Amino acid sequence: MKIALMDSGIGLLPAAVAVRRLRPDADLVLSLDPDGMPWGPRTPDDLTRRALAVAEAAAAQRPDALIVGCNTASVHALTALRALLEPGLPVIGTVPAIKPAAAGGGPVAIWATPATTGSPYQRGLIREFADGVEVIEVPCPGLADAVEKADDAAIDAAVAAAAARTPAEVTTLVLGCTHYELVAERIRAAVQQPDRPPLVLHGSAGAVAAQALRRIGADVAPQATGSAGMTVLLSGRQGVLPAAALAYAEGNLLQAVSTAG
Protein backbone atom coordinates (compact mmCIF):
# COMPACT_ATOMS: atom_id res chain seq x y z
CA MET A 1 0.00 0.00 0.00
CA LYS A 2 1.24 3.47 -0.86
CA ILE A 3 -0.33 6.73 0.32
CA ALA A 4 0.74 10.09 -1.10
CA LEU A 5 0.32 13.43 0.64
CA MET A 6 0.79 16.90 -0.81
CA ASP A 7 1.20 20.44 0.51
CA SER A 8 3.32 23.47 -0.21
CA GLY A 9 5.36 22.64 2.88
CA ILE A 10 5.42 20.66 6.10
CA GLY A 11 1.72 21.03 6.94
CA LEU A 12 1.29 17.49 5.59
CA LEU A 13 3.34 16.00 8.45
CA PRO A 14 0.44 15.46 10.92
CA ALA A 15 -1.63 13.55 8.35
CA ALA A 16 1.43 11.53 7.29
CA VAL A 17 2.02 10.48 10.89
CA ALA A 18 -1.67 9.62 11.24
CA VAL A 19 -1.44 7.35 8.20
CA ARG A 20 1.71 5.79 9.63
CA ARG A 21 -0.06 5.03 12.91
CA LEU A 22 -3.10 3.48 11.23
CA ARG A 23 -1.02 1.49 8.73
CA PRO A 24 2.65 1.19 9.72
CA ASP A 25 3.20 -0.97 6.63
CA ALA A 26 2.15 1.74 4.16
CA ASP A 27 4.75 3.41 1.98
CA LEU A 28 4.47 7.21 1.98
CA VAL A 29 5.03 9.77 -0.76
CA LEU A 30 5.39 13.33 0.54
CA SER A 31 5.09 15.87 -2.29
CA LEU A 32 6.06 19.43 -1.28
CA ASP A 33 6.51 22.62 -3.27
CA PRO A 34 9.48 24.60 -1.91
CA ASP A 35 9.79 26.42 -5.25
CA GLY A 36 6.24 27.75 -4.99
CA MET A 37 5.57 28.14 -1.30
CA PRO A 38 3.74 29.69 0.41
CA TRP A 39 0.54 28.96 -1.45
CA GLY A 40 -1.69 31.11 0.74
CA PRO A 41 -0.93 34.51 -0.84
CA ARG A 42 -1.30 33.16 -4.41
CA THR A 43 -4.42 33.72 -6.49
CA PRO A 44 -6.76 30.72 -6.64
CA ASP A 45 -5.79 30.02 -10.25
CA ASP A 46 -2.06 30.22 -9.52
CA LEU A 47 -2.41 28.07 -6.42
CA THR A 48 -4.36 25.51 -8.42
CA ARG A 49 -1.62 25.33 -11.03
CA ARG A 50 1.01 24.75 -8.36
CA ALA A 51 -1.16 22.14 -6.62
CA LEU A 52 -1.77 20.26 -9.87
CA ALA A 53 1.96 20.09 -10.58
CA VAL A 54 2.71 18.80 -7.08
CA ALA A 55 -0.12 16.27 -7.36
CA GLU A 56 1.10 15.02 -10.74
CA ALA A 57 4.58 14.47 -9.29
CA ALA A 58 3.01 12.43 -6.49
CA ALA A 59 0.77 10.51 -8.90
CA ALA A 60 3.82 9.48 -10.94
CA GLN A 61 4.85 7.39 -7.92
CA ARG A 62 1.67 5.32 -8.43
CA PRO A 63 0.11 5.70 -4.97
CA ASP A 64 -3.23 4.18 -4.02
CA ALA A 65 -4.60 7.48 -2.68
CA LEU A 66 -3.60 11.14 -2.50
CA ILE A 67 -4.25 13.28 0.57
CA VAL A 68 -4.33 17.05 0.09
CA GLY A 69 -2.68 17.92 3.40
CA CYS A 70 -3.52 21.62 3.19
CA ASN A 71 -6.74 23.45 3.99
CA THR A 72 -6.10 26.27 1.50
CA ALA A 73 -5.35 23.89 -1.37
CA SER A 74 -8.43 21.86 -0.50
CA VAL A 75 -10.57 24.99 -0.71
CA HIS A 76 -9.25 26.19 -4.06
CA ALA A 77 -7.87 23.17 -5.92
CA LEU A 78 -9.72 20.06 -4.78
CA THR A 79 -12.24 20.11 -7.64
CA ALA A 80 -9.46 20.47 -10.23
CA LEU A 81 -7.36 17.78 -8.57
CA ARG A 82 -10.24 15.32 -8.60
CA ALA A 83 -11.07 16.16 -12.20
CA LEU A 84 -7.47 15.39 -13.17
CA LEU A 85 -6.82 12.27 -11.10
CA GLU A 86 -10.07 10.52 -10.21
CA PRO A 87 -11.40 7.89 -10.50
CA GLY A 88 -8.03 6.24 -11.00
CA LEU A 89 -6.51 7.93 -7.94
CA PRO A 90 -8.77 8.84 -5.01
CA VAL A 91 -8.11 12.39 -3.78
CA ILE A 92 -8.93 13.23 -0.15
CA GLY A 93 -9.20 16.87 0.91
CA THR A 94 -8.69 18.41 4.33
CA VAL A 95 -11.66 20.15 5.94
CA PRO A 96 -11.57 21.94 9.33
CA ALA A 97 -13.05 19.70 12.02
CA ILE A 98 -16.02 21.99 12.66
CA LYS A 99 -18.62 19.21 12.75
CA PRO A 100 -17.11 17.17 15.63
CA ALA A 101 -16.18 20.36 17.48
CA ALA A 102 -19.73 21.72 17.31
CA ALA A 103 -21.17 18.38 18.43
CA GLY A 104 -19.74 19.06 21.88
CA GLY A 105 -21.54 22.38 22.19
CA GLY A 106 -19.80 25.70 22.45
CA PRO A 107 -18.48 28.23 22.38
CA VAL A 108 -16.10 27.04 19.65
CA ALA A 109 -13.13 28.99 18.27
CA ILE A 110 -11.74 28.29 14.81
CA TRP A 111 -8.12 29.28 14.34
CA ALA A 112 -7.29 29.67 10.65
CA THR A 113 -5.23 31.72 8.25
CA PRO A 114 -6.47 35.25 7.52
CA ALA A 115 -7.47 34.14 4.01
CA THR A 116 -9.66 31.33 5.35
CA THR A 117 -11.12 33.25 8.30
CA GLY A 118 -14.41 34.78 7.28
CA SER A 119 -14.28 33.15 3.85
CA PRO A 120 -17.49 31.89 2.20
CA TYR A 121 -16.00 28.39 2.45
CA GLN A 122 -15.55 28.50 6.21
CA ARG A 123 -18.82 30.34 6.81
CA GLY A 124 -20.57 27.62 4.80
CA LEU A 125 -19.11 24.90 7.01
CA ILE A 126 -20.21 26.79 10.10
CA ARG A 127 -23.77 27.11 8.78
CA GLU A 128 -23.87 23.44 7.82
CA PHE A 129 -22.28 21.87 10.88
CA ALA A 130 -22.50 24.37 13.74
CA ASP A 131 -26.01 25.77 13.49
CA GLY A 132 -27.06 27.03 16.90
CA VAL A 133 -23.54 26.82 18.35
CA GLU A 134 -21.56 29.96 19.15
CA VAL A 135 -18.52 30.03 16.85
CA ILE A 136 -15.73 32.59 16.97
CA GLU A 137 -13.47 32.87 13.93
CA VAL A 138 -9.91 33.77 14.93
CA PRO A 139 -7.41 34.84 12.25
CA CYS A 140 -3.82 33.81 12.91
CA PRO A 141 -1.57 35.99 10.73
CA GLY A 142 1.97 34.70 10.45
CA LEU A 143 1.44 31.47 12.35
CA ALA A 144 1.59 29.02 9.45
CA ASP A 145 4.69 30.74 8.07
CA ALA A 146 6.37 30.68 11.48
CA VAL A 147 5.61 26.96 11.87
CA GLU A 148 6.93 26.27 8.36
CA LYS A 149 10.22 27.94 9.28
CA ALA A 150 10.32 26.41 12.79
CA ASP A 151 10.86 29.95 14.09
CA ASP A 152 10.12 29.56 17.80
CA ALA A 153 9.98 33.27 18.61
CA ALA A 154 7.62 33.97 15.70
CA ILE A 155 5.45 30.96 16.64
CA ASP A 156 5.15 32.19 20.24
CA ALA A 157 4.26 35.71 19.09
CA ALA A 158 1.63 34.54 16.60
CA VAL A 159 0.09 32.09 19.07
CA ALA A 160 -0.02 34.75 21.81
CA ALA A 161 -1.70 37.24 19.48
CA ALA A 162 -4.35 34.70 18.40
CA ALA A 163 -4.90 33.61 22.00
CA ALA A 164 -5.56 37.23 22.93
CA ARG A 165 -8.32 37.29 20.28
CA THR A 166 -9.88 34.08 21.64
CA PRO A 167 -12.59 34.61 24.28
CA ALA A 168 -11.84 33.11 27.70
CA GLU A 169 -15.11 31.15 27.69
CA VAL A 170 -14.16 29.06 24.64
CA THR A 171 -14.30 25.34 25.45
CA THR A 172 -13.31 23.88 22.08
CA LEU A 173 -10.77 24.98 19.50
CA VAL A 174 -10.61 23.90 15.84
CA LEU A 175 -7.17 23.93 14.24
CA GLY A 176 -8.18 25.15 10.79
CA CYS A 177 -4.74 24.94 9.19
CA THR A 178 -2.71 21.73 9.01
CA HIS A 179 0.45 23.55 10.13
CA TYR A 180 -1.19 24.42 13.45
CA GLU A 181 -1.38 20.76 14.44
CA LEU A 182 2.42 20.75 14.69
CA VAL A 183 2.22 23.23 17.58
CA ALA A 184 -1.06 22.04 19.09
CA GLU A 185 0.23 21.81 22.65
CA ARG A 186 1.72 25.29 22.49
CA ILE A 187 -1.68 26.54 21.35
CA ARG A 188 -3.41 24.67 24.16
CA ALA A 189 -1.07 26.17 26.76
CA ALA A 190 -1.71 29.68 25.46
CA VAL A 191 -5.52 29.39 25.35
CA GLN A 192 -6.25 27.23 28.39
CA GLN A 193 -7.67 29.24 31.29
CA PRO A 194 -6.63 28.09 34.77
CA ASP A 195 -10.19 28.09 36.11
CA ARG A 196 -11.79 26.43 33.09
CA PRO A 197 -12.27 22.76 32.08
CA PRO A 198 -9.54 21.30 29.84
CA LEU A 199 -9.66 22.82 26.38
CA VAL A 200 -10.68 20.39 23.62
CA LEU A 201 -8.63 20.65 20.41
CA HIS A 202 -9.83 19.32 17.05
CA GLY A 203 -7.42 18.77 14.19
CA SER A 204 -8.08 17.04 10.88
CA ALA A 205 -5.14 14.64 10.50
CA GLY A 206 -6.68 11.53 12.03
CA ALA A 207 -9.97 11.86 10.15
CA VAL A 208 -8.21 12.50 6.84
CA ALA A 209 -5.96 9.46 7.26
CA ALA A 210 -8.93 7.26 8.13
CA GLN A 211 -10.89 8.57 5.13
CA ALA A 212 -7.98 7.76 2.81
CA LEU A 213 -8.03 4.15 4.00
CA ARG A 214 -11.80 3.97 3.59
CA ARG A 215 -11.59 5.29 0.03
CA ILE A 216 -9.25 2.46 -0.99
CA GLY A 217 -11.04 -0.23 1.04
CA ALA A 218 -8.12 -0.77 3.42
CA ASP A 219 -8.53 -1.79 7.04
CA VAL A 220 -7.07 0.08 9.98
CA ALA A 221 -4.23 -2.15 11.17
CA PRO A 222 -1.93 -0.35 13.64
CA GLN A 223 -0.07 -3.57 14.37
CA ALA A 224 0.71 -4.30 10.72
CA THR A 225 4.31 -5.02 9.87
CA GLY A 226 6.14 -4.67 6.59
CA SER A 227 7.78 -1.97 4.53
CA ALA A 228 7.63 1.61 5.70
CA GLY A 229 9.34 3.41 2.86
CA MET A 230 9.11 7.16 2.35
CA THR A 231 9.73 9.15 -0.83
CA VAL A 232 10.08 12.94 -0.54
CA LEU A 233 9.46 15.08 -3.62
CA LEU A 234 10.49 18.75 -3.60
CA SER A 235 8.69 20.53 -6.45
CA GLY A 236 8.87 17.24 -8.32
CA ARG A 237 12.50 16.43 -7.49
CA GLN A 238 13.42 13.58 -5.18
CA GLY A 239 14.94 14.88 -1.97
CA VAL A 240 14.75 14.67 1.81
CA LEU A 241 12.54 16.21 4.46
CA PRO A 242 13.26 19.92 4.93
CA ALA A 243 15.40 20.69 7.97
CA ALA A 244 12.48 22.53 9.59
CA ALA A 245 10.47 19.28 9.62
CA LEU A 246 12.95 17.81 12.06
CA ALA A 247 12.15 20.56 14.56
CA TYR A 248 8.88 18.71 15.24
CA ALA A 249 8.15 15.31 16.74
CA GLU A 250 6.17 14.36 13.64
CA GLY A 251 9.09 14.97 11.30
CA ASN A 252 11.48 13.03 13.50
CA LEU A 253 9.06 10.13 13.80
CA LEU A 254 8.65 9.85 10.04
CA GLN A 255 12.39 10.12 9.49
CA ALA A 256 13.23 7.52 12.14
CA VAL A 257 10.58 4.98 11.12
CA SER A 258 11.38 5.29 7.43
CA THR A 259 15.13 4.98 8.05
CA ALA A 260 14.52 1.91 10.20
CA GLY A 261 12.21 0.45 7.53
Side-chain angles (χ1 to χ4, degrees):
M1 184 192 310
K2 183 183 290 185
I3 305 294
L5 302 97
M6 59 171 280
D7 185 16
S8 63
I10 61 175
L12 51 65
L13 293 179
V17 168
V19 171
R20 206 35 121 219
R21 287 176 175 152
L22 296 179
R23 286 301 297 252
D25 58 333
D27 290 331
L28 297 178
V29 177
L30 309 185
S31 190
L32 290 71
D33 188 27
D35 293 356
M37 66 178 302
W39 284 351
R42 293 181 176 274
T43 65
D45 286 347
D46 192 23
L47 186 155
T48 297
R49 283 193 294 270
R50 300 298 311 188
L52 289 171
V54 169
E56 286 186 295
Q61 299 292 314
R62 303 182 65 81
D64 298 294
L66 172 65
I67 292 172
V68 184
C70 172
N71 294 88
T72 301
S74 296
V75 171
H76 295 297
L78 188 59
T79 299
L81 289 166
R82 285 179 167 160
L84 176 69
L85 299 172
E86 291 190 342
L89 177 62
V91 179
I92 297 90
T94 298
V95 176
I98 295 171
K99 183 176 182 179
V108 173
I110 305 172
W111 281 28
T113 63
T116 298
T117 300
S119 66
Y121 164 76
Q122 183 160 288
R123 293 280 169 85
L125 291 175
I126 293 170
R127 284 194 302 272
E128 183 174 359
F129 296 120
D131 186 39
V133 175
E134 182 183 359
V135 175
I136 302 95
E137 297 179 273
V138 180
C140 303
L143 180 53
D145 189 52
V147 172
E148 180 68 34
K149 295 175 180 175
D151 183 333
D152 282 332
I155 291 169
D156 287 343
V159 167
R165 291 190 287 272
T166 304
E169 63 270 18
V170 161
T171 59
T172 305
L173 196 152
V174 175
L175 302 175
C177 170
T178 55
H179 279 78
Y180 301 172
E181 297 188 51
L182 293 170
V183 292
E185 291 311 310
R186 292 165 77 166
I187 292 172
R188 183 193 303 278
V191 177
Q192 179 67 58
Q193 301 294 318
D195 57 342
R196 302 283 296 173
L199 183 72
V200 179
L201 296 185
H202 286 274
S204 301
V208 167
Q211 176 65 5
L213 295 182
R214 281 194 293 270
R215 287 288 304 275
I216 63 175
D219 294 330
V220 172
Q223 304 307 317
T225 58
S227 70
M230 183 173 72
T231 299
V232 177
L233 302 174
L234 304 175
S235 299
R237 306 177 299 272
Q238 290 215 14
V240 298
L241 281 176
L246 303 181
Y248 302 101
E250 290 87 347
N252 282 292
L253 175 64
L254 289 170
Q255 185 88 321
V257 171
S258 297
T259 300

